Amino acid sequence: MNKINRLKNLYGKHTGLTAFLLGLLVSALLFIPIIIQNNGVFMYYGDFNAQEIPFYQMIHDSLQSGNVNWSSTTDLGSATLASYSFYLIGSPFFLFTLLFPSRAVPFLIGPLFMLKFAFCSLTAYIYLKRYVKDPVYAVIGGLLYAFSGFSIYNIFFFHFHEPMIFFPLLLYCVDEFMYNDRRGILAAAVFACCTVNYYFFAGMAVFTALYWLMLVFTNNYKLTLKRLLLFVFEVVLGVAATAFIILPTILFIRGNPRLSSLPDGYNSLVYDAPQRYWYIILSFFFPPELAAEPNFAPDVNCNWASVSGWLPLIGMTGVIGYLQLKKRDWIKKLILLLIVFALVPVLNSAFQLLNASIFYARWYYMLVLIMVLATVKALENNDTDWNRALCWSGGITAVIALLIGLMPESVLDDNDKYDYTKIGLADNFPRFWIYVAVAVVSIAAFAFIIYFFKKSPRRFSFALIAGIILITLISSTYIVETGNRMDGGNNKFTRENLIGASDSVKLKDIKSARSDFMGVIDNAGMYLNIPSIRAFHSVVTPSIMKFYKSIGVTRDTDLYSLRGLFSCKYLFCDKSEKFVRKNGKTKMPGWSYLKKIKGYKIYKNDYYIPMGFMYDTYLTMFELLDIEDYYKADTFLKAMMLSGTDALKYSKITGYSKKDVETLRHDYKAKQKDKKFKSKADSFVYGKYNYFDDCEKLRKNSCYEFKYNNEGFTAKINNKGEDNLLFFSVPYDEGWNAYVNGKETEIVSLWRLRLTVIKRAVLYSNTFLPVSIQEL
């Protein structure tokens, strides 16, 4: 009995600590079983294993070694700060790992995740406490926010929970600024949010503006010119303080193709997929689905879109109960406004700077927090009509479940002719009915708590917390376990052959030559900390994308000629049949079996070209446009590509005259219909054996030494004292500089903004560069 009293005292007096510890407890119960299954490492599926774990360890090792500028193990090379400011660089959880050795990092992922959920609960509590009379309801709100559908759905994305942690603090600081005239706190919050993740901060800025305007126009805050100017000043000051991370990032990502699409036409007003409206609505009434497998609406095209906002146990019942109260206030109006934003494409895209290239709902955690605020206020308000709210919530849940679960659908055969009729629209019916069962049980359990405990505030709050924890563990354990088992085979391979295996591949030049991977988890090269020819990564140097686009292929291409161009020497394969045909020949010509290390079979490129090589033939980009896409990659092995300006500038080397370049420009403007220039490319012969000859020719004129270092790379070549152009398949961006025999030289690059000698010694990254050299 004394233990119970002590618990009640802790619960009543230290509610903030209670919110944190409860979040930590529930997340521990969720994650520890998965950690045990995976020998101490929390593993999930898809992007989590392929990105979050290797990114953390690779950048951890990079920073510990003093390499803060450029990552040679990110695709073909990329700026460390700009490439990883979205994922982890600004995260205090990542910075915490720098206190530990490299081998400990994968084992820290699980404990860090538990801490993230605990802090989500705590920061939501801090914000909500202002709006409730009894702080215990803020504890309840903290749990609802931390284990909401959005939070569980986005376990798939390890870096999404930092914004969830800092967002309630941002709103708390806005409130402190407005209601208590606290100065400086808002600037600090803006700085923290922007540093942690610039992408999510863009959405926070839009939401904060709506939040502030709503409070002003509903007369909850008396606005004066002085207060307005102070508010703007603190916001600007907070953003300006992040210049060390935000400026290089903006310069870096401005050419990213994901940022190139603005809202257009009717697609700005209505979603092109009608199912999306259903999916948005039901995501608040049912537990979250797996990020890669929308089940309720399989054709909604919302994979990884973060469409989820369910609150464990209570669902939408509390929100509905609050909306039905007679008093109209800013919370109701803000929720209704945010619903409109969710249902109108152009408004939804406002939370990601009007980028309409893909549908994302990654701002829903903001809506969730306001829904939680409405819920806890409804729970505390004795005027809430729970019978009515439960009827509405239960009725909507039942209607959605019955319509999707029992609606007949005609199934067509391969010839688009009627084959048979199936009952139900879901993709996976066992999983669908499990979700329905959880939603129905939650409504029933919440009704039970309302009717049997509402009269006693303490018992009511204890019952609510117990119910939220129980429903969270039931629903979330199912989701987390399913996600873990979905990648079971890859999890085993990753545990045994990738985690902690960076020193297992003992090949002399494995750190300088590039490698390729086949049949192995994405970003295996990052796990092994070796350079590779591609990466599964959203924020690499934009020029990499431009290069692939220029030759008409994507990054996942299997063109063997690119392996030669990119100086790829080794190929790792988990099973030989994935790279070797039944006749014993490799699927790419010019490769031979080398050895087996751990779970890999390693093949060697017999026509490997070392990094840094010289050509004796040159083409302009005008001429490349006239070559079929299929042969463009091979053409890069036959001739160095230059802009018309650079071909003329280095005419002593390239052989192009002013008349040649002018004729080429004429041909380009005439769209090649009346071609007047006789290109060397017209005589090029393509094929496997020609590829071998091209590789041998370039290998004879390549660097005999190449090494990556913390500033970029160094190379040595015997150039025999002649002027020449040396090609490195390394992405280039403004900020690079090159030195030949200690003297700065000009860098020639394709797709550049301008051609200048860069003076800054800071490395960011833009396209493949031939470096002007004389002798090394």
Side-chain angles (χ1 to χ4, degrees):
M1 192 68 176
N2 289 333
K3 289 183 179 180
I4 294 176
N5 289 332
R6 285 199 297 270
L7 177 63
K8 285 184 177 180
N9 289 333
L10 174 66
Y11 176 70
K13 295 181 180 180
H14 304 284
T15 47
L17 179 62
T18 303
F20 179 84
L21 293 177
L22 285 175
L24 187 63
L25 171 65
V26 177
S27 58
L29 293 174
L30 277 178
F31 291 115
I32 288 177
I34 307 296
I35 293 172
I36 293 173
Q37 291 178 45
N38 292 297
N39 300 337
V41 180
F42 178 77
M43 304 185 78
Y44 202 44
Y45 75 105
D47 290 17
F48 189 92
N49 294 343
Q51 290 189 327
E52 311 297 353
I53 299 175
F55 286 3
Y56 250 64
Q57 185 160 31
M58 183 184 70
I59 300 303
H60 165 278
D61 296 351
S62 179
L63 296 186
Q64 279 198 339
S65 67
N67 185 0
V68 299
N69 291 324
W70 191 65
S71 172
S72 61
T73 49
T74 300
D75 210 287
L76 297 173
S78 216
T80 302
L81 177 64
S83 289
Y84 291 93
S85 55
F86 170 67
Y87 289 101
L88 51 82
I89 288 289
S91 167
F93 297 93
F94 167 73
L95 297 176
F96 175 73
T97 68
L98 297 178
L99 301 175
F100 297 85
S102 175
R103 288 185 175 273
V105 174
F107 300 93
L108 291 172
I109 296 295
L112 288 177
F113 230 153
M114 297 177 205
L115 284 174
K116 287 185 182 185
F117 277 86
F119 277 108
C120 277
S121 180
L122 175 61
T123 59
Y125 162 83
I126 291 171
Y127 169 69
L128 296 169
K129 186 178 178 181
R130 176 188 306 275
Y131 295 98
V132 292
K133 297 175 183 177
D134 187 344
V136 172
Y137 287 103
V139 174
I140 294 170
L143 286 175
L144 290 174
Y145 178 74
F147 297 98
S148 64
F150 185 91
S151 186
I152 299 301
Y153 178 107
N154 287 299
I155 287 174
F156 191 77
F157 300 109
F158 188 62
H159 55 292
F160 279 24
H161 290 77
E162 280 92 332
M164 285 193 69
I165 292 170
F166 282 90
F167 175 66
L169 293 179
L170 177 62
L171 294 192
Y172 168 80
C173 292
V174 171
D175 286 350
E176 285 292 296
F177 179 92
M178 296 175 75
Y179 299 132
N180 297 332
D181 289 326
R182 290 186 64 180
R183 300 293 178 250
I185 190 171
L186 178 59
V190 169
F191 170 80
C193 291
C194 191
T195 301
V196 164
N197 193 296
Y198 63 87
Y199 170 84
F200 282 93
F201 174 73
M204 291 183 198
V206 172
F207 185 94
T208 303
L210 294 175
Y211 182 84
W212 182 81
L213 289 170
M214 184 62 69
L215 290 174
V216 169
F217 285 110
T218 54
N219 298 319
N220 284 275
Y221 175 66
K222 187 177 180 180
L223 182 64
T224 64
L225 180 60
K226 179 181 177 181
R227 286 178 170 180
L228 174 62
L229 293 176
L230 284 172
F231 186 90
V232 173
F233 173 75
E234 290 215 17
V235 171
V236 172
L237 179 63
V239 174
T242 67
F244 72 98
I245 192 171
I246 201 67
L247 280 181
T249 299
I250 291 173
L251 291 171
F252 183 81
I253 67 172
R254 58 186 172 178
N256 193 305
R258 291 194 174 200
L259 303 177
S260 60
S261 179
L262 292 173
D264 182 53
Y266 261 103
N267 287 336
S268 303
L269 304 178
V270 292
Y271 291 116
D272 53 2
Q275 288 187 27
R276 191 166 295 165
Y277 292 101
W278 275 84
Y279 199 60
I280 291 170
I281 294 169
L282 65 85
S283 69
F284 292 94
F285 287 87
F286 294 90
E289 300 194 284
L290 291 163
E293 295 187 2
N295 187 37
F296 280 68
D299 299 321
V300 72
N301 193 25
C302 285
N303 297 40
W304 313 289
S306 304
V307 186
S308 187
W310 185 69
L311 304 182
L313 178 70
I314 301 175
M316 285 294 288
T317 308
V319 177
I320 293 172
Y322 189 79
L323 292 176
Q324 290 174 341
L325 290 171
K326 292 182 179 180
K327 182 181 177 181
R328 295 183 179 181
D329 63 2
W330 67 270
I331 299 176
K332 288 184 182 181
K333 293 176 181 178
L334 183 57
I335 289 175
L336 295 174
L337 178 63
L338 293 175
I339 291 173
V340 173
F341 268 72
L343 297 177
V344 179
V346 66
L347 298 179
N348 182 80
S349 68
F351 291 98
Q352 49 185 16
L353 297 178
L354 295 178
N355 176 24
S357 60
I358 190 169
F359 170 76
Y360 282 139
R362 292 176 176 175
W363 63 275
Y364 276 17
Y365 66 98
M366 308 179 203
L367 172 56
V368 166
L369 183 61
I370 303 303
M371 286 170 47
V372 169
L373 173 58
T375 297
V376 295
K377 288 184 72 66
L379 290 170
E380 195 176 43
N381 194 322
N382 291 326
D383 294 329
T384 304
D385 187 344
W386 290 112
N387 287 332
R388 187 182 176 194
L390 283 165
C391 285
W392 273 97
S393 178
I396 294 172
T397 301
V399 168
I400 293 174
L402 292 175
L403 286 176
I404 294 177
L406 302 179
M407 182 67 68
E409 181 181 18
S410 298
V411 179
L412 306 180
D413 59 19
D414 294 337
N415 297 318
D416 290 333
K417 294 183 179 180
Y418 173 81
D419 191 9
Y420 65 92
T421 298
K422 72 169 187 175
I423 301 299
L425 306 177
D427 189 50
N428 183 315
F429 276 98
R431 190 181 298 169
F432 168 79
W433 289 113
I434 288 173
Y435 286 2
V436 170
V438 171
V440 171
V441 168
S442 296
I443 292 172
F446 181 60
F448 177 83
I449 293 171
I450 288 289
Y451 291 131
F452 287 93
F453 296 99
K454 189 67 174 78
K455 293 181 181 180
S456 172
R458 279 294 170 210
R459 290 183 178 179
F460 181 55
S461 59
F462 270 105
L464 280 174
I465 290 174
I468 290 169
I469 292 175
L470 183 60
I471 292 297
T472 294
L473 291 177
I474 292 173
S475 60
S476 301
T477 298
Y478 173 73
I479 294 165
V480 175
E481 282 285 353
T482 302
N484 178 55
R485 295 178 186 277
M486 280 178 66
D487 239 6
N490 277 336
N491 286 358
K492 185 175 185 294
F493 184 90
T494 302
R495 289 196 308 269
E496 296 177 354
N497 301 292
L498 292 176
I499 292 177
S502 59
D503 296 327
S504 64
V505 184
K506 299 186 182 300
L507 295 171
K508 184 179 179 180
D509 54 356
I510 193 67
K511 298 290 186 180
S512 56
R514 290 194 179 115
S515 298
D516 194 10
F517 295 84
M518 184 172 290
V520 184
I521 184 175
D522 289 323
N523 294 330
M526 293 184 181
Y527 274 104
L528 300 176
N529 201 23
I530 59 177
S532 60
I533 66 169
R534 55 187 167 185
F536 176 39
H537 194 299
S538 298
V539 198
V540 295
T541 300
S543 61
I544 294 176
M545 308 299 188
K546 292 179 181 178
F547 170 77
Y548 283 111
K549 184 178 181 180
S550 75
I551 62 173
V553 299
T554 57
R555 273 197 292 175
D556 57 356
T557 179
D558 58 359
L559 287 175
Y560 60 81
S561 52
L562 288 181
R563 273 68 184 172
L565 181 69
F566 293 159
S567 299
C568 179
K569 188 173 184 179
Y570 302 106
L571 185 141
F572 292 70
C573 191
D574 61 339
K575 296 178 182 178
S576 58
E577 56 265 28
K578 292 181 179 178
F579 187 58
V580 180
R581 304 182 192 278
K582 292 182 179 180
N583 61 7
K585 294 183 178 181
T586 56
K587 293 183 179 180
M588 289 190 292
W591 291 77
S592 59
Y593 178 73
L594 182 63
K595 62 166 68 175
K596 184 174 182 179
I597 297 178
K598 292 182 77 68
Y600 322 98
K601 289 189 175 181
I602 302 178
Y603 295 82
K604 177 178 174 289
N605 184 359
D606 298 325
Y607 294 89
Y608 162 68
I609 311 169
M611 284 283 284
F613 46 86
M614 295 182 294
Y615 293 80
D616 61 9
T617 304
Y618 303 87
L619 290 180
T620 67
M621 292 302 293
F622 298 120
E623 294 164 275
L624 182 67
L625 294 172
D626 202 30
I627 297 172
E628 292 182 33
D629 285 351
Y630 186 80
Y631 296 116
K632 283 180 179 177
D634 295 81
T635 305
F636 268 83
L637 289 171
K638 295 178 178 295
M640 179 181 286
M641 300 298 158
L642 296 168
S643 68
T645 301
D646 290 330
L648 181 59
K649 183 174 184 177
Y650 296 98
S651 59
K652 291 182 180 179
I653 300 172
T654 65
Y656 282 85
S657 66
K658 185 176 181 180
K659 181 180 179 181
D660 292 335
V661 175
E662 289 177 352
T663 303
L664 282 166
R665 286 200 178 107
H666 170 270
D667 291 347
Y668 173 69
K669 290 179 180 178
K671 298 182 179 179
Q672 312 288 337
K673 291 180 181 179
D674 182 23
K675 193 166 67 169
K676 297 179 179 180
F677 185 81
K678 181 66 175 177
S679 173
K680 292 183 287 290
D682 295 340
S683 62
F684 288 167
V685 179
Y686 302 98
K688 178 174 67 175
Y689 296 107
N690 299 98
Y691 162 74
F692 294 159
D693 292 340
D694 294 334
C695 290
E696 290 286 5
K697 187 177 180 180
L698 293 172
R699 180 157 57 184
K700 291 177 182 178
N701 295 287
S702 63
C703 293
Y704 61 84
E705 182 179 298
F706 177 88
K707 292 181 180 178
Y708 291 109
N709 57 41
N710 286 351
E711 296 299 321
F713 59 84
T714 60
K716 294 180 180 180
I717 191 170
N718 182 10
N719 193 42
K720 301 176 183 178
E722 299 175 357
D723 286 345
N724 217 320
L725 293 171
L726 180 61
F727 176 87
F728 290 96
S729 56
V730 177
Y732 168 77
D733 201 3
E734 291 181 280
W736 273 95
N737 49 16
Y739 295 87
V740 177
N741 297 334
K743 295 181 180 180
E744 188 169 14
T745 189
E746 193 169 46
I747 296 174
V748 183
S749 68
L750 304 177
W751 302 293
R752 68 198 181 288
L753 294 175
R754 58 183 180 272
L755 182 63
T756 57
V757 178
I758 304 302
K759 301 296 185 184
R760 291 176 295 140
V762 182
L763 300 182
Y764 304 128
S765 306
N766 192 358
T767 200
F768 302 98
L769 57 95
V771 180
S772 177
I773 68 166
Q774 287 191 352
E775 185 177 3
L776 293 176

